[in-house]
Amino acid sequence: MNNKASIPKGTRDFSPLMMRKRNYVFQKMKTTFGVFGFEQIETPSMENLETLTGKYGEEGDQLIFKILKSGDFLSKALIDKSTTSKSLTPQISDKALRYDLTVPFARYVAQNRNDIAFPFRRFQMQNVWRADRPQKGRFREFYQCDADIIGTTSLIAEIELVQLYDEVFESLGLKNISIKINNRKILSGIAQVVGEEDKIIDITVALDKLDKIGEAKAKEEMYEKGISKDTIAKMDILFNLKGTNSSKLISLKDFLKDSDIGLEGIYELSQVVNQLEEIQLKCATLDIDVTLARGLNYYTGAIFEVEAKDVSIGSIGGGGRYDDLTGIFGFENMSGVGISFGFDRICIVLEALDLFPKFTEKGTQVLFVNFGKDEANYCLNLLKKLRSEGIKSEIYPSATKMKKQMQYADRKNVEYVLLVGENEMRTNTITVKNMIDGSQKNVTFEQLLLTI
C-alpha cells in the first residue's frame, strides 16, 4: 500500500522562490540587528522538559510538543487506574521542542554568565513549535526572530527596541505599522485603585482576550471570576481611554494618583513615549494601549505588540520588560527587555502588499547546454570562471535532446542559455541566447561578462 505524501497540519514546505523571499527578509533583519549592535546566538531545537514547563502558564504548557524517551520507555513507567496523561508525561518524556526563544535564551544566559559581557545584546532567528490549532497566520512550526537587551534597567533599552522594530519594518517597505505599548505596573495600579489587587491575573487574562471576544465578553469574564459589576465599572478607563498619547498619560496619571506602582508605570511609559516622539519613528506609530496585557507571566514593565494595519492577520511582533527571567535558572536580578518578530506573518504581510522585490524570483542566471563529454568538460572550466564572478550558473548534467534542455531553462526562468559546440571551442567564443527576447549572438568570454 502506497502512503500518500503529506506533511503534518500546521507545517509547510517552502519552494525555492519562497526561500528566496524568506532569505530576503532574514537578511534585512540581520543587517538591521547588526547595525544596532546585536550579536547572534542559537540554541538547540529541544530543551529539557523541566526547562520549559511552568514558564508559560497552564495553557501554554499544554501546547508544548513533548519528545518520547528513547528505548522501551513504557516498561519503566508506573501505570495504574489513577494514571492520567498529565501524570504519565514525566515518566515517558524528559525533553521537548522549544515553545519560544525567550526561555531558552534565559537558560543560555544563566548557563554562560561568565562568558557574556553585560548588558548583552542578542538576536536569535530559529524555528519554534506549538501544538496549537492551525489557522490563517498560525502554525505549529514557525520562525521567531528575537532581540533582547539583558543586564540593564535603563529605559534606553525600551527606546532602542522600538526603534529596532521601526528600522526593520522601514527597510522592508512597510508603512502603516502600529506599535502598541503598555506597562505592567499601570495594570497593577488600576487593580490596586479599584481594590482588586489579588485579581490582577484574572483582570489581565480577560483583557488579553479583548481583541478576540470584545468588551462585553471581557467584562463578563471578569464578573465570572468574582469581580463585582461596580468594580468593573470603575475600571472603565481600561476600555474607553482615547486621544493622543499625551492626553492618555494625563488621564492615567489622574486615575492612578493614589497608587505608587501605577505612577511608577506612568513615569516609565512617559519617558519612553516622549523620547521616541522627539526622535520620530520612520514608518510606525507608537500607541498607548492600556488593554495590552500579553506575557504577564514574566513581563514586569513595558509591554509591546505590533500590528500591520493594512493586513488583517493579528500581531506581527511583541515583547516586554522582564526583571528576573533568568532567576528561574539560579541567576537572579538580571533585568532586560526583549522583542519578537513574527517572521512568518511578516512574510504573509509582504506577500499581501506585494512588497517583495521582483529580483527575488531569479535563480540561475545562465545555463550551459550539454552537447557531449568534450564540450561539457570545456564548459566546466568556463563555469568555474563565471561562478568566481558571482554569477549564478549551471550546466545541464546530460547530453539529452536540445528541446528538453531548453524546457528546463524555461521552467527555471534562466535569463541566458550558453551554447558551446565544436565551432565555439575552436574560436574560443560562446553563443549566447537571450531567453527573454529570443535574440542570439556569438561573443568572447569577456563580452559575455559585460552582457550578463
Side-chain angles (χ1 to χ4, degrees):
M1 179 179 173
N2 290 325
N3 290 327
K4 185 179 178 182
S6 64
I7 58 174
K9 287 183 180 179
T11 64
R12 294 159 298 161
D13 290 320
F14 298 107
S15 67
L17 173 58
M18 197 63 224
M19 281 310 303
R20 284 193 281 275
K21 291 179 176 181
R22 288 169 70 83
N23 285 332
Y24 163 77
V25 181
F26 279 137
Q27 199 51 55
K28 288 285 186 183
M29 287 184 172
K30 278 187 176 181
T31 299
T32 310
F33 290 155
V35 167
F36 274 69
F38 288 84
E39 295 184 286
Q40 186 171 13
I41 68 164
E42 288 195 350
T43 59
S45 299
M46 69 180 82
E47 294 278 348
N48 291 324
L49 185 57
E50 62 184 19
T51 298
L52 301 178
T53 50
K55 315 300 190 298
Y56 308 104
E58 190 175 338
E59 189 177 335
D61 280 355
Q62 291 173 359
L63 300 181
I64 295 172
F65 275 112
K66 285 84 175 178
I67 299 172
L68 292 174
K69 291 180 179 178
S70 302
D72 186 11
F73 51 83
L74 269 181
S75 64
K76 298 175 183 177
L78 298 174
I79 303 173
D80 55 35
K81 289 181 181 179
S82 64
T83 301
T84 63
S85 57
K86 189 173 182 180
S87 65
L88 182 63
T89 297
Q91 298 187 66
I92 64 174
S93 173
D94 57 3
K95 293 178 287 294
L97 294 175
R98 57 172 174 250
Y99 176 90
D100 69 358
L101 299 179
T102 304
V103 172
F105 169 60
R107 190 265 311 149
Y108 173 90
V109 171
Q111 198 171 337
N112 296 278
R113 68 188 82 174
N114 295 326
D115 303 318
I116 293 172
F118 294 101
F120 180 36
R121 291 171 174 251
R122 141 307 195 161
F123 79 90
Q124 193 170 347
M125 307 169 78
Q126 289 185 279
N127 265 332
V128 299
W129 293 266
R130 294 183 187 178
D132 217 339
R133 190 179 67 175
Q135 52 188 286
K136 184 184 177 184
R138 179 169 294 186
F139 309 101
R140 286 176 172 166
E141 178 186 50
F142 57 96
Y143 249 86
Q144 278 191 343
C145 302
D146 284 13
D148 285 73
I149 303 173
I150 191 169
T152 177
T153 58
S154 171
L155 294 173
I156 288 176
E158 279 88 338
I159 292 164
E160 289 226 89
L161 287 171
V162 172
Q163 284 185 280
L164 180 63
Y165 265 141
D166 186 54
E167 289 283 350
V168 167
F169 292 130
E170 199 268 340
S171 74
L172 292 169
L174 287 167
K175 289 187 167 52
N176 203 4
I177 298 295
S178 168
I179 302 175
K180 295 179 182 179
I181 185 171
N182 194 13
N183 194 296
R184 167 66 187 266
K185 293 170 185 174
I186 290 174
L187 292 170
S188 297
I190 291 171
Q192 188 180 67
V193 165
V194 300
E196 292 286 5
E197 286 179 86
D198 60 329
K199 297 280 187 182
I200 178 65
I201 296 299
D202 293 330
I203 292 169
T204 53
V205 165
L207 281 178
D208 200 33
K209 299 176 185 174
L210 188 63
D211 286 345
K212 296 175 185 174
I213 64 177
E215 182 179 332
K217 286 275 179 69
K219 288 180 176 179
E220 186 181 315
E221 187 168 315
M222 288 183 195
Y223 181 67
E224 288 171 357
K225 293 289 185 180
I227 302 167
S228 72
K229 288 185 178 179
D230 286 344
T231 302
I232 293 169
K234 290 178 188 174
M235 292 190 290
D236 224 32
I237 191 168
L238 284 169
F239 304 97
N240 295 300
L241 191 65
K242 303 283 191 292
T244 64
N245 286 335
S246 296
S247 65
K248 287 177 184 177
L249 285 167
I250 291 168
S251 299
L252 284 168
K253 193 170 185 179
D254 181 59
F255 185 82
L256 296 170
K257 60 182 181 291
D258 296 323
S259 169
D260 288 343
I261 191 165
L263 290 174
E264 193 178 323
I266 293 292
Y267 171 78
E268 292 178 6
L269 192 58
S270 61
Q271 291 296 302
V272 174
V273 170
N274 293 340
Q275 186 62 51
L276 285 165
E277 284 181 356
E278 189 175 317
I279 293 171
Q280 294 187 343
L281 299 175
K282 294 180 179 179
C283 72
T285 55
L286 191 64
D287 301 310
I288 293 174
D289 182 353
V290 287
T291 67
L292 185 57
R294 72 198 312 276
L296 293 180
N297 289 311
Y298 40 78
Y299 292 145
T300 54
I303 312 168
F304 304 108
E305 188 161 277
V306 186
E307 289 182 356
K309 298 234 172 173
D310 295 329
V311 180
S312 179
I313 198 171
S315 68
I316 59 171
R321 161 75 65 175
Y322 42 83
D323 278 344
D324 196 25
L325 191 66
T326 57
I328 53 178
F329 301 110
F331 189 27
E332 297 178 346
N333 302 317
M334 286 298 291
S335 186
V337 194
I339 60 172
S340 181
F341 292 79
F343 180 84
D344 293 279
R345 288 188 177 186
I346 290 168
C347 288
I348 291 171
V349 169
L350 293 174
E351 194 77 70
L353 299 176
D354 196 26
L355 288 174
F356 281 111
K358 299 305 176 197
F359 75 83
T360 57
E361 295 177 6
K362 293 179 184 177
T364 301
Q365 293 169 270
V366 301
L367 171 74
F368 282 98
V369 169
N370 191 326
F371 286 111
K373 184 179 179 181
D374 292 340
E375 291 88 344
N377 287 339
Y378 183 88
C379 290
L380 285 171
N381 287 312
L382 296 176
L383 199 58
K384 183 180 179 182
K385 292 180 182 178
L386 284 176
R387 287 170 176 165
S388 70
E389 296 290 336
I391 295 166
K392 298 174 184 177
S393 45
E394 60 179 290
I395 182 170
Y396 198 81
S398 56
T400 188
K401 292 179 181 178
M402 174 70 78
K403 183 180 178 182
K404 187 174 181 180
Q405 298 190 50
M406 296 303 279
Q407 285 175 337
Y408 174 79
D410 265 335
R411 290 195 67 178
K412 290 199 70 173
N413 293 317
V414 173
E415 280 186 89
Y416 300 100
V417 169
L418 309 183
L419 301 98
V420 179
E422 290 182 10
N423 187 53
E424 284 84 3
M425 289 166 65
R426 188 174 60 254
T427 57
N428 210 24
T429 58
I430 301 162
T431 298
V432 182
K433 181 176 178 65
N434 186 317
M435 295 296 286
I436 297 170
D437 61 21
S439 62
Q440 195 166 300
K441 60 183 178 181
N442 188 258
V443 298
T444 64
F445 184 79
E446 288 71 24
Q447 291 170 329
L448 171 66
L449 290 179
L450 292 172
T451 302
I452 298 171

